[in-house]
Amino acid sequence: MAAKRLFWSIVELIEASINSGNFPVGSRLPPERELAQRFNVSRPTIREAIIALEVRGRVEVKTSSGVYVLASQQSANLLKNINAFEVTQARALVEGEVAALAAASINEQELEDLNQTLIDMEKGKDMEAADRAFHKIIANATRNEAMKSLVESLWNLRASSKEIIEDYDSVCSKDSAKTIAEHRAIYNALKSADADKSRTAMHEHFHRLINTLFDAEETRALEKIKRESSEKRDMYSIKRQA
Amino acid sequence: MAAKRLFWSIVELIEASINSGNFPVGSRLPPERELAQRFNVSRPTIREAIIALEVRGRVEVKTSSGVYVLASQQSANLLKNINAFEVTQARALVEGEVAALAAASINEQELEDLNQTLIDMEKGKDMEAADRAFHKIIANATRNEAMKSLVESLWNLRASSKEIIEDYDSVCSKDSAKTIAEHRAIYNALKSADADKSRTAMHEHFHRLINTLFDAEETRALEKIKRESSEKRDMYSIKRQA
DNA sequence: TGCTTTGTTTTGGTAATACCAAATTTTTTG
DNA sequence: CAAAAAATTTGGTATTACCAAAACAAAGCA
């Protein structure tokens, strides 16, 4: 049943061409008839693909003139240039308050669910899933839909940039023991219904995360310098390459 | 040039039918051929409209089966049932931290801009615009794009529900003097670069807002009771209506 | 009677084609 | 050289046809 319809694959092809710079932003796509020939499909199929791209905001159709590539929303995100530090700082502050709120209203079941995520982490199950569940349960416990939506949008922000994902992954996978310990501290603070302690525990969790991010960046920067200087060395070396 | 293409108007028609409950969530749309007849357009045009709706996430196309109406993201927002209290509490906590952050990094120009919004408010200019500008300047001063995006999304949340808008309006218009005074307190705290004082000032601002919201709700509830009891009185009255 | 199989119908998917209108480009003309 | 007119290009819409998968109904079998 789920045989992908033809136009979707055309959408992907065109989108790939746009992303690869084959069809630069601002440029005009080839005419529908030509695209139809090039992809070996009929013109209606091309039209459907273009409409999908248009609804997605990737292109703009000017009647009788052509189809033009728009600046993608991704570039809008890149322009914003949100980095992992900013996201983490924001998460620290917001989720700190979330924890403080949740301490007053979290119930037995939710504490049990939190505990389960800790067990899952210790067993080495999908860390990211357990991490996400942990923070989501606490957000739920605030009984504040607005706060929940904020936590979710921060999580999405985290997933919006490749750079941020890489940074987080390198941090999470490196020190899962510390992550688990900090999660447990937060869990205990919530269990004791202490708002300040919960906030502090959450802050400490993210504080460590930020520091690890700094370390990771420093390492990357050092490696870059090494690589560059090594390249330079090669460049100016009088020895011939193999 | 900008003559709307035919399929867009079909999209609107179908979307209106969905929103009006004419095509309930989960139901199947009439077949393409029938829609084409009904709207007096060709089948390709109907197909284009359906594709647009599909990309927008309003419908799901099952090959050889039909086009099914999906639960809209709007209904998701309504299901969440975010009320004015939740939004205000979230704003208090988030913007409290925003103010604390901003206290460390706000500059002269931004302080001057803040002052201008106060002057605008005192002059009785567009209160909402000045209010928005005030909070936006502070968010900007955090130098944290993630925080800025959170503040913005909270503001949008505020605008997402009619109920919330009404609640806020009734509050803001009632006591503009207090609002201005509180804004000035926040301004002074930021000017002195005192993070804790800034956070507290922001909290107090929203604290008053929440209380006023409670009062407004109480008044509304009282009026409702009065109205109902008055209706009851009428109902059981032995006096005849005029 | 109840289940399975088979065949028809319905429905969306794709293609080919024709014609239109607006925008663009080229050519013509003053 | 510039303005006007014609031709071309390009997307917009309609018509038609045929295909494949799904849904449905009917017939056959256990």
Side-chain angles (χ1 to χ4, degrees):
Chain A
M1 165 197 89
K4 198 165 52 181
R5 278 166 294 168
L6 192 49
F7 83 87
W8 280 118
S9 50
I10 304 295
V11 167
E12 285 173 13
L13 285 173
I14 297 180
E15 208 157 25
S17 291
I18 293 176
N19 290 334
S20 74
N22 215 330
F23 299 147
V25 170
S27 74
R28 208 191 64 182
L29 257 52
E32 294 182 351
R33 292 166 176 81
E34 197 182 320
L35 288 172
Q37 278 192 10
R38 189 185 303 192
F39 295 128
N40 257 313
V41 297
S42 71
R43 206 181 135 207
T45 302
I46 294 291
R47 284 185 59 73
E48 293 175 344
I50 289 177
I51 285 168
L53 288 167
E54 185 184 14
V55 175
R56 280 194 186 175
R58 299 294 314 250
V59 301
E60 179 188 8
V61 177
K62 287 190 178 174
T63 298
S64 307
S65 169
V67 181
Y68 297 84
V69 179
L70 293 176
S72 71
Q73 72 289 44
Q74 251 208 18
S75 69
N77 257 348
L78 290 184
L79 274 181
K80 275 191 193 166
N81 205 21
I82 301 183
N83 61 40
F85 297 108
E86 289 172 310
V87 174
T88 311
Q89 182 181 42
R91 285 190 67 195
L93 296 177
V94 170
E95 300 215 27
E97 298 307 308
V98 164
L101 258 188
S105 49
I106 196 165
N107 62 31
E108 283 303 320
Q109 178 61 52
E110 285 163 336
L111 285 169
E112 182 46 43
D113 292 344
L114 278 184
N115 194 35
Q116 187 57 51
T117 70
L118 297 177
I119 295 173
D120 287 349
M121 278 189 149
E122 281 165 352
K123 281 184 183 165
K125 285 192 186 173
D126 184 350
M127 291 293 285
E128 165 151 349
D131 188 26
R132 175 160 207 160
F134 182 84
H135 290 281
K136 184 169 183 168
I137 291 167
I138 299 177
N140 259 310
T142 63
R143 320 285 178 236
N144 183 321
E145 293 294 332
M147 293 299 277
K148 282 163 68 177
S149 130
L150 286 188
V151 169
E152 182 141 2
S153 73
L154 276 173
W155 198 280
N156 291 336
L157 217 53
R158 173 205 142 138
S160 76
S161 145
K162 224 175 72 178
E163 185 201 325
I164 295 180
I165 291 178
E166 283 171 6
D167 279 4
Y168 262 74
D169 279 356
S170 73
V171 169
C172 288
S173 61
K174 202 162 63 183
D175 248 337
S176 65
K178 279 190 187 164
T179 301
I180 294 172
E182 288 159 4
H183 274 205
R184 189 166 293 286
I186 297 169
Y187 163 76
N188 286 330
L190 286 170
K191 195 169 182 180
S192 64
D194 186 328
D196 286 332
K197 220 163 99 184
S198 301
R199 182 191 291 110
T200 306
M202 188 66 87
H203 279 177
E204 276 171 6
H205 177 39
F206 282 106
H207 186 245
R208 201 258 313 174
L209 215 54
I210 288 182
N211 279 334
T212 321
L213 284 176
F214 269 118
D215 291 346
E217 193 179 70
E218 200 176 309
T219 308
R220 255 208 310 259
L222 283 176
E223 273 169 4
K224 190 184 170 196
I225 291 173
K226 271 196 213 162
R227 197 173 55 245
E228 281 172 358
S229 83
S230 148
E231 277 169 8
K232 227 179 246 172
R233 202 178 357 251
D234 287 348
M235 196 181 295
Y236 295 114
S237 167
I238 50 175
K239 283 200 225 164
R240 292 297 169 100
Q241 302 275 337
Chain B
M1 165 195 83
K4 196 164 53 180
R5 279 165 296 166
L6 193 48
F7 84 86
W8 281 120
S9 51
I10 303 296
V11 167
E12 284 174 13
L13 286 174
I14 296 180
E15 209 158 26
S17 291
I18 293 176
N19 289 334
S20 73
N22 216 330
F23 298 148
V25 170
S27 73
R28 210 191 63 185
L29 256 54
E32 294 181 351
R33 293 165 174 83
E34 194 183 321
L35 287 172
Q37 280 193 8
R38 192 187 298 191
F39 294 129
N40 257 313
V41 297
S42 72
R43 206 181 136 205
T45 302
I46 293 291
R47 284 185 59 73
E48 293 174 345
I50 289 176
I51 286 169
L53 288 169
E54 187 185 12
V55 175
R56 281 193 185 176
R58 298 295 313 249
V59 300
E60 179 188 8
V61 177
K62 288 190 177 173
T63 298
S64 307
S65 167
V67 181
Y68 297 85
V69 179
L70 293 177
S72 71
Q73 68 287 49
Q74 249 209 18
S75 68
N77 253 346
L78 290 184
L79 273 182
K80 276 188 192 166
N81 203 21
I82 302 182
N83 62 41
F85 296 109
E86 290 174 309
V87 174
T88 311
Q89 184 182 40
R91 287 191 65 196
L93 296 177
V94 170
E95 300 215 27
E97 299 307 309
V98 164
L101 259 187
S105 50
I106 196 165
N107 62 30
E108 282 303 321
Q109 178 61 53
E110 286 163 335
L111 284 168
E112 182 46 44
D113 292 343
L114 278 183
N115 194 34
Q116 188 57 52
T117 69
L118 297 178
I119 295 173
D120 287 348
M121 278 189 148
E122 279 163 355
K123 280 184 184 164
K125 285 190 185 173
D126 185 349
M127 290 292 285
E128 166 152 348
D131 188 26
R132 174 159 208 159
F134 181 83
H135 290 281
K136 184 168 185 170
I137 292 168
I138 299 177
N140 259 310
T142 62
R143 319 286 177 235
N144 182 320
E145 293 292 334
M147 294 298 279
K148 280 163 69 177
S149 130
L150 286 188
V151 169
E152 182 141 2
S153 71
L154 276 173
W155 197 281
N156 291 337
L157 217 52
R158 175 202 140 138
S160 74
S161 144
K162 223 175 74 181
E163 186 201 325
I164 296 181
I165 292 178
E166 282 172 5
D167 279 3
Y168 262 74
D169 279 357
S170 73
V171 169
C172 288
S173 60
K174 202 160 66 181
D175 248 336
S176 66
K178 281 190 187 165
T179 301
I180 295 173
E182 287 159 2
H183 274 203
R184 188 164 292 286
I186 296 167
Y187 164 77
N188 286 330
L190 287 170
K191 195 167 184 181
S192 65
D194 186 327
D196 286 331
K197 217 163 101 184
S198 301
R199 183 190 292 111
T200 307
M202 189 64 89
H203 279 176
E204 275 171 5
H205 177 39
F206 282 107
H207 186 246
R208 200 259 311 174
L209 215 54
I210 289 182
N211 280 335
T212 321
L213 283 176
F214 269 118
D215 291 346
E217 193 179 68
E218 200 177 308
T219 307
R220 256 208 309 260
L222 283 177
E223 274 169 3
K224 191 184 170 196
I225 290 174
K226 267 196 214 162
R227 198 171 53 245
E228 282 172 357
S229 83
S230 147
E231 278 168 8
K232 229 179 244 174
R233 205 184 349 259
D234 287 348
M235 195 181 295
Y236 294 115
S237 166
I238 49 174
K239 279 201 225 165
R240 293 298 172 96
Q241 305 273 339

